[in-house]
Amino acid sequence: MKPFASIKQAEEYILAKADKELRFAIPLGLGKPNQLVNALYKRAKQQKDLRLTFFTALSLDIPQAKTELESRFTGPFFSRHFGDDYPRLEYLQDLHKNQVPENISLHEFYFQAGTTLENLHAQSNYISLNYTHVAQRILEMNLDGVIQLIAKSKDGRYSLSCNPDLTLDVVDLYSAKGKPFMVIGVVHPDLPFLGGDAEVPADFFEGIVESPEVRHQLFAPPKNAIDDIEHMIALHASRLIKDDGTLQIGIGSLSDALTTSALLRHQNNSLYQEVLRELDRKFTPPSSADIHDGVFTKGLYGTSEMIMDGFMHLRKAGILNRSVQDHEEKALRYLHGAFFLGSKSFYRWLRELSDKDFDGLSMTRVSKVNDLYDPHELALRKQRKNARFFNTCMQMSLLGGAASETLDNGNVVSGVGGQYNFVAMSHELPDSYSVLMMKSVREKKGRRVSNIIWNPPQLTISRHLRDVVITEYGIAFLKGQSDSECIKRLIMIADAQFQDELLTAAQKNKKIDPHWKVPPGARNNTPENLQEFASFAKAKGLFNVFPFGSDFTQVEEKLQGALLNLKEKTKLELIKSLLTGFSVPKEGYAQELERMNLFKPQSVQELLFQKVLLGSFKELVRRYPLQ
């Protein structure tokens, strides 16, 4: 192992071994050593005869404001949250400006959602792969190696920490084929040292960078705001979790909402059951008897490609408390994960794990987490009992196929990732469910559009793998059902506005009895009934926007709501908000306007900014009087 005292030394070493071409994998998400990545990228930009290929996924970046008003809000917050010295990925900045040089190729198999739509380089170089197939593709690409952030313990041991997911599998594949493959690690002092398979010896690396240059904050997405619809979906979903079972959840506001409902079920079960009774009175109850509402006396075991804040909260609450035997390491584990990404408080929890919590958490290879094809397959099948794999999707066909990552025109929003892996695995395990969660309706150009449709052009999950679908209106159990029964159950969790046209499409295509009628109870699937239930829940102290605290101040939270309200407005609607703002006294929002430097406007533009904000505040008060 070669020690490097600076990023520059590692850069020169890598270039010295190159023959006019660099081909490297970079871990997805948090594990990117941005400074070394930027150094190699800059070198390739300067040396046009040097070809550079990066293969990666989930390239994280600080969101950039698109308007002056947004910039006034995000500038101070991002400076506080990420630090002024955070090294943004330069290839991403060039990518978004369509300025990637011709001698550089960037391939991703999973995008940060929605960030690369209509981008020629990103979309044309996207490689569609299941997560567990990525390692084999890296082998076939004959890459030079991988560069990634790593952690170092106080006694000098090393850990792949946040990203053993593909690195372990790739190194094994290259070794088995006798191909050279260098692993360059960059130690970050704040990256949590985690054990299990992630702990590797020093000679696992060809070189390790330890430099005071690497001191920037770890990328931590701001904590998610959860809206009423997401809380509704999560409340339904929490009824599927079976005690003494296995849990997989992803990242995002829906996952945080699910964690919130699971905590309510365990910590205040009487209130949880009271809320469920009201839910079943207002909307159609689940059709399956496999519904659960008790506390978690035996606990859950987690196996998830991604570990995030939710698992921390479940562990602290005593829910993530079922351990399984890790046969290779002869240890008991309550959680296996392939990579992690989360909040600053989550990273702090990982750094400060007690002995028992540390020993029970194993970061490992994605092939172990995302499928069953392991030397200990029979043991894995027994351990993953009562499994519940929760994921999200964008659209659902009436026949049970799911569109989760690609638009009608072929543009990729995110990627397949591990969704197919968990869907397929759930069909191989007894007493298991693959659960796809989605909002039943979205806004498109100012009008409501159903996310349950007859036939999406792009499918991520085929109909033969249909299982459980959840919207804010309920749960549809689809596995093993006929096409007509599948259609009926999905219509019953669709918004009432679209039920008749969905039924007409199914009848037109001879997929359902022409005499079948939508049950009267399903006609209650309206925004008005949702709002009534949300008001009931809020009166009980539930459905909080930030149940796990916020990275924003209270003033910033109010501002964020007002800005989001303005974001989707048409020009005519913005003018209406502006005119409304002239009737709102600025003194009532002094702190918010001071935070935006708009309390005392210095120009006509700033006066208009002030008034449109005040108009937005008034609209929100009218719309959400309880908040």
Side-chain angles (χ1 to χ4, degrees):
M1 187 272 289
K2 299 181 183 300
F4 302 118
S6 69
I7 295 293
K8 186 65 176 178
Q9 285 184 8
E11 174 196 345
E12 294 298 340
Y13 177 82
I14 291 170
L15 286 163
K17 299 192 70 172
D19 183 20
K20 296 298 182 183
E21 187 168 17
L22 290 176
R23 298 166 59 83
F24 274 89
I26 319 170
L28 61 85
L30 184 62
K32 291 179 175 61
N34 289 15
Q35 290 152 298
L36 182 53
V37 172
N38 286 345
L40 295 175
Y41 183 76
K42 284 180 182 176
R43 195 67 168 260
K45 286 180 70 174
Q46 295 164 359
Q47 297 180 210
K48 300 301 182 182
D49 62 337
L50 175 64
R51 292 201 57 80
L52 172 66
T53 298
F54 281 148
F55 181 84
T56 188
L58 195 58
S59 295
L60 301 169
D61 195 17
I62 301 172
Q64 299 303 293
K66 296 181 180 178
T67 67
E68 170 66 21
L69 202 55
E70 285 183 18
S71 181
R72 286 170 179 259
F73 175 78
T74 60
F77 172 73
F78 288 151
S79 178
R80 181 179 79 236
H81 187 77
F82 292 102
D84 292 327
D85 63 343
Y86 182 80
R88 293 178 60 202
L89 289 165
E90 294 187 17
Y91 71 73
L92 269 187
Q93 297 177 61
D94 282 355
L95 184 70
H96 294 318
K97 293 182 288 188
N98 292 303
Q99 293 178 357
V100 177
E102 291 184 1
N103 60 315
I104 297 176
S105 296
L106 307 172
H107 297 278
E108 297 207 45
F109 67 89
Y110 197 97
F111 298 131
Q112 190 172 1
T115 58
T116 60
L117 294 175
E118 307 299 334
N119 186 288
L120 176 61
H121 190 103
Q123 292 292 329
S124 61
N125 284 286
Y126 167 75
I127 299 179
S128 185
L129 291 167
N130 293 326
Y131 201 173
T132 53
H133 298 164
V134 173
Q136 179 64 33
R137 179 60 189 136
I138 292 175
L139 175 68
E140 293 164 355
M141 291 176 73
N142 291 314
L143 301 186
D144 299 315
V146 60
I147 51 178
Q148 74 176 84
L149 283 186
I150 62 174
K152 185 178 182 181
S153 68
K154 293 179 180 178
D155 60 357
R157 294 175 295 142
Y158 295 100
S159 169
L160 297 175
S161 185
C162 55
N163 283 94
D165 52 329
L166 291 169
T167 303
L168 292 172
D169 284 330
V170 169
V171 168
D172 284 353
L173 285 174
Y174 272 79
S175 177
K177 293 293 184 180
K179 293 183 176 182
F181 191 79
M182 72 173 83
V183 182
I184 304 293
V186 179
V187 174
H188 193 294
D190 295 332
L191 195 62
F193 181 94
L194 295 177
D197 292 333
E199 185 175 344
V200 292
D203 62 8
F204 180 85
F205 304 95
E206 186 160 332
I208 294 178
V209 180
E210 289 192 62
S211 169
E213 301 167 89
V214 186
R215 63 178 184 274
H216 60 83
Q217 294 188 43
L218 295 171
F219 191 97
K223 292 177 182 175
N224 294 299
I226 304 175
D227 65 31
D228 293 345
I229 301 301
E230 290 163 335
H231 275 301
M232 287 288 297
I233 294 169
L235 187 60
H236 291 296
S238 67
R239 308 175 79 171
L240 289 176
I241 306 174
K242 188 174 182 178
D243 190 24
D244 197 27
T246 302
L247 183 66
Q248 182 267 333
I249 48 179
I251 195 172
S253 50
L254 261 177
S255 297
D256 287 349
L258 177 56
T259 302
T260 303
S261 287
L263 291 172
L264 174 65
R265 172 178 157 183
H266 185 69
Q267 296 173 329
N268 193 343
N269 191 256
S270 60
L271 177 57
Y272 178 76
Q273 296 204 34
E274 179 186 352
V275 172
L276 291 185
R277 285 193 294 272
E278 178 65 14
L279 185 70
D280 288 343
R281 186 188 70 80
K282 209 160 194 64
F283 302 101
T284 305
S287 60
S288 171
D290 201 0
I291 293 296
H292 311 277
D293 60 8
V295 298
F296 298 97
T297 56
K298 294 182 179 179
L300 303 175
Y301 155 66
T303 177
S304 188
E305 64 181 22
M306 179 175 182
I307 299 179
M308 30 58 82
D309 290 54
F311 287 105
M312 170 183 70
H313 296 302
L314 295 174
R315 179 63 177 175
K316 285 183 175 181
I319 297 174
L320 197 66
N321 211 28
R322 181 173 82 84
S323 295
V324 302
Q325 178 75 37
D326 194 320
H327 290 269
E328 293 177 351
E329 301 167 25
K330 307 300 181 185
L332 292 174
R333 308 292 192 195
Y334 62 86
L335 179 59
H336 281 97
F339 74 98
F340 67 72
L341 179 67
S343 69
K344 293 181 178 182
S345 56
F346 174 59
Y347 298 155
R348 182 167 58 251
W349 177 72
L350 290 175
R351 286 193 294 268
E352 298 172 356
L353 287 173
S354 65
D355 290 343
K356 183 179 179 181
D357 285 349
F358 178 88
D359 292 340
L361 192 163
S362 177
M363 297 302 298
T364 187
R365 58 189 72 219
V366 72
S367 60
K368 183 173 181 176
V369 173
N370 280 34
D371 66 29
L372 300 167
Y373 310 117
D374 183 271
H376 304 289
E377 179 178 341
L378 292 179
L380 291 181
R381 287 177 175 272
K382 291 179 180 179
Q383 291 168 357
R384 295 175 186 180
K385 60 181 180 179
N386 304 318
R388 303 294 185 264
F389 303 119
F390 291 96
N391 287 284
T392 60
C393 66
M394 301 186 302
Q395 290 180 315
M396 180 66 55
S397 83
L398 266 185
L399 296 175
S404 304
E405 36 76 39
T406 300
L407 300 180
D408 295 358
N409 64 2
N411 257 232
V412 181
V413 177
S414 53
V416 178
Q419 183 169 117
Y420 173 83
N421 294 142
F422 286 106
V423 171
M425 184 163 42
S426 75
H427 282 262
E428 296 192 22
L429 292 170
D431 305 316
S432 171
Y433 291 123
S434 162
V435 185
L436 293 179
M437 305 181 292
M438 70 171 189
K439 295 182 178 182
S440 69
V441 171
R442 70 185 187 280
E443 292 283 335
K444 184 177 181 181
K445 296 182 180 180
R447 64 187 184 92
R448 302 173 80 240
V449 178
S450 178
N451 286 326
I452 298 177
I453 65 176
W454 172 245
N455 191 26
Q458 307 286 343
L459 287 180
T460 309
I461 305 300
S462 299
R463 60 193 278 200
H464 71 281
L465 292 173
R466 60 196 182 200
D467 196 346
V468 177
V469 179
I470 300 179
T471 72
E472 62 270 31
Y473 294 116
I475 307 172
F477 292 87
L478 308 180
K479 184 188 291 184
Q481 302 300 315
S482 66
D483 280 358
S484 63
E485 187 63 27
C486 176
I487 291 166
K488 293 174 185 178
R489 295 186 181 196
L490 284 172
I491 287 176
M492 289 172 66
I493 63 168
D495 190 284
Q497 177 183 341
F498 305 101
Q499 289 171 346
D500 288 335
E501 64 183 74
L502 290 171
L503 179 57
T504 298
Q507 291 172 336
K508 177 183 177 182
N509 288 286
K510 306 296 188 293
K511 296 301 292 186
I512 194 171
D513 183 347
H515 302 294
W516 185 79
K517 305 287 186 184
V518 178
R523 295 295 191 181
N524 294 328
N525 296 356
T526 65
E528 293 74 21
N529 278 332
L530 288 174
Q531 185 57 47
E532 283 184 17
F533 182 84
S535 298
F536 165 81
K538 289 174 183 177
K540 299 290 182 180
L542 308 178
F543 283 23
N544 295 314
V545 177
F546 289 101
F548 301 116
S550 173
D551 292 310
F552 300 101
T553 65
Q554 289 185 344
V555 168
E556 287 171 337
E557 287 179 23
K558 290 180 68 174
L559 279 168
Q560 186 184 41
L563 290 169
L564 288 173
N565 181 47
L566 294 171
K567 191 172 184 178
E568 301 301 325
K569 287 183 178 294
T570 63
K571 289 183 179 180
L572 186 60
E573 289 170 334
L574 285 172
I575 292 172
K576 184 178 178 181
S577 296
L578 175 66
L579 295 176
T580 300
F582 279 94
S583 65
V584 182
K586 68 177 184 179
E587 288 75 17
Y589 296 96
Q591 288 181 298
E592 290 77 16
L593 294 174
E594 289 284 5
R595 166 64 175 77
M596 299 285 282
N597 291 321
L598 291 174
F599 188 73
K600 296 180 179 179
Q602 301 299 306
S603 66
V604 173
Q605 183 187 51
E606 288 192 347
L607 177 64
L608 296 177
F609 283 159
Q610 181 200 78
K611 297 308 178 185
V612 78
L613 259 182
L614 289 172
S616 185
F617 281 129
K618 187 170 184 178
E619 291 166 0
L620 290 177
V621 169
R622 289 173 178 167
R623 196 180 309 163
Y624 306 111
L626 295 178
Q627 293 184 352

